[in-house]
């Protein structure tokens, strides 16, 4: 079963616009991670935010985490066509090692 | 540092056959996790191996098994293949000593006919 629910399922924007996607989860977590996947290939790690952090930045990415609401958001600023991909949130439960629970993903299309 | 490698990249099998997939983690990583990705179920955790021992297991039938060797390379085996086993199988490696990011391989695309 999947831990996270992501919203929206799909997002279509133009280059230069910002893209925001949300993730909700159910159990206690050690951290929450965001991954990107291009066309059925392997996953690329984007950013990790620990349960005691509220916000984190990496380049054009900004992630927030609200453990009281069990939710997270990923913001991609100034989108580029190369950002077209599926984005997944994944939670690392407090009681498991090496086991990530993924959401269903948000498919993002950035048109030039 | 070389990334995670998976072999083969593509595989076609028929129902009832068995298959073995291989994963070589990043040098120095001792944890290897396996995931199945399908359009219907998404990404699901299969199992994780650390230092040749299965440390975590997902909710998959016993037809799915794995092992890890002393050099941390891991294999996953699926016996008596079913049509529903068609999927992208991803492995990921991690140092295994902390709950941190996992580095994924390109995956093995298995098609069961």
């Amino acid at each position: 079963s999947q831990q996270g629910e992501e919203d929206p399922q799909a997002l279509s924007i133009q280059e230069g616009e910002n893209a925001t996607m949300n993730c909700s989860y159910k159990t206690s977590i050690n951290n929450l991670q965001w991954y990107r996947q291009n066309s059925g290939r392997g996953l690329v790690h984007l950013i990790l935010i620990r349960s005691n952090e509220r916000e984190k930045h990496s380049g054009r990415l900004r992630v927030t985490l609200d453990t009281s609401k069990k939710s997270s958001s990923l913001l991609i600023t100034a989108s580029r066509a190369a950002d077209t991909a599926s984005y997944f949130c994944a939670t690392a439960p407090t009681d498991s090692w090496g086991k990530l629970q993924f959401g269903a993903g948000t498919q993002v299309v950035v048109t030039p | 540092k070389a990334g995670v490698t998976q072999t083969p990249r593509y595989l076609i099998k028929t129902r009832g056959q068995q298959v073995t997939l291989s994963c070589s983690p990043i040098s120095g990583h001792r944890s290897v996790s396996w995931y199945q990705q399908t359009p219907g179920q998404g990404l699901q955790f299969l199992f994780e191996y650390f230092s040749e021992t299965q440390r975590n297991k997902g909710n998959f039938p016993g037809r799915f098994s794995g092992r890890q060797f002393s050099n941390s390379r891991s294999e996953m085996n699926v016996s008596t293949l079913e049509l529903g086993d068609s999927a992208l199988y991803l492995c990921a490696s991690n140092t295994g000593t902390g709950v941190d990011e996992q580095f994924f391989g390109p995956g093995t695309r298995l098609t069961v006919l």
Side-chain angles (χ1 to χ4, degrees):
Chain A
S1 62
Q2 295 189 64
Q3 158 85 306
E5 298 290 333
E6 292 184 61
D7 169 54
Q9 289 186 335
L11 187 58
S12 183
I13 56 175
Q14 294 201 314
E15 270 192 327
E17 294 182 335
N18 295 342
T20 300
M21 58 210 87
N22 303 295
C23 166
S24 61
Y25 58 93
K26 297 172 185 172
T27 61
S28 295
I29 62 171
N30 185 295
N31 63 59
L32 186 145
Q33 304 175 32
W34 286 90
Y35 288 83
R36 184 186 74 221
Q37 184 179 41
N38 292 86
S39 301
R41 297 182 185 175
L43 296 163
V44 175
H45 183 266
L46 295 176
I47 195 165
L48 179 154
I49 185 165
R50 302 193 187 280
S51 60
N52 61 353
E53 297 176 310
R54 292 296 167 256
E55 187 172 312
K56 203 160 183 181
H57 297 254
S58 177
R60 294 184 295 114
L61 305 178
R62 172 179 169 256
V63 169
T64 62
L65 178 64
D66 186 335
T67 53
S68 67
K69 295 181 179 177
K70 290 186 167 57
S71 68
S72 174
S73 68
L74 171 67
L75 167 68
I76 306 173
T77 60
S79 297
R80 305 166 181 169
D83 294 328
T84 294
S86 292
Y87 292 81
F88 295 89
C89 70
T91 52
T94 53
D95 60 347
S96 291
W97 293 81
K99 174 181 180 178
L100 292 178
Q101 293 178 305
F102 285 87
T106 294
Q107 192 169 3
V108 175
V109 175
V110 182
T111 53
Chain B
K1 235 183 203 180
V4 178
T5 57
Q6 291 186 247
T7 57
R9 292 292 311 280
Y10 302 91
L11 207 48
I12 299 175
K13 293 285 188 180
T14 56
R15 277 180 300 175
Q17 287 187 309
Q18 74 165 18
V19 67
T20 299
L21 312 182
S22 180
C23 172
S24 292
I26 291 172
S27 177
H29 285 190
R30 294 162 63 192
S31 167
V32 174
S33 298
W34 289 89
Y35 295 84
Q36 181 196 65
Q37 186 177 27
T38 60
Q41 298 298 316
L43 279 153
Q44 293 190 289
F45 173 78
L46 280 155
F47 28 64
E48 183 231 359
Y49 285 87
F50 176 76
S51 291
E52 302 178 65
T53 301
Q54 188 179 85
R55 189 162 64 173
N56 265 300
K57 189 177 187 304
N59 297 321
F60 278 81
R63 300 186 297 107
F64 292 82
S65 63
R67 59 177 175 169
Q68 187 179 34
F69 301 95
S70 58
N71 62 357
S72 293
R73 189 177 70 85
S74 177
E75 288 182 347
M76 190 193 96
N77 185 276
V78 188
S79 62
T80 319
L81 284 166
E82 301 176 359
L83 294 178
D85 297 333
S86 293
L88 180 67
Y89 289 89
L90 295 162
C91 85
S93 82
N94 176 274
T95 59
T97 57
V99 188
D100 288 320
E101 66 181 290
Q102 294 192 13
F103 296 86
F104 282 81
T108 294
R109 172 76 62 184
L110 172 65
T111 302
V112 182
L113 302 176

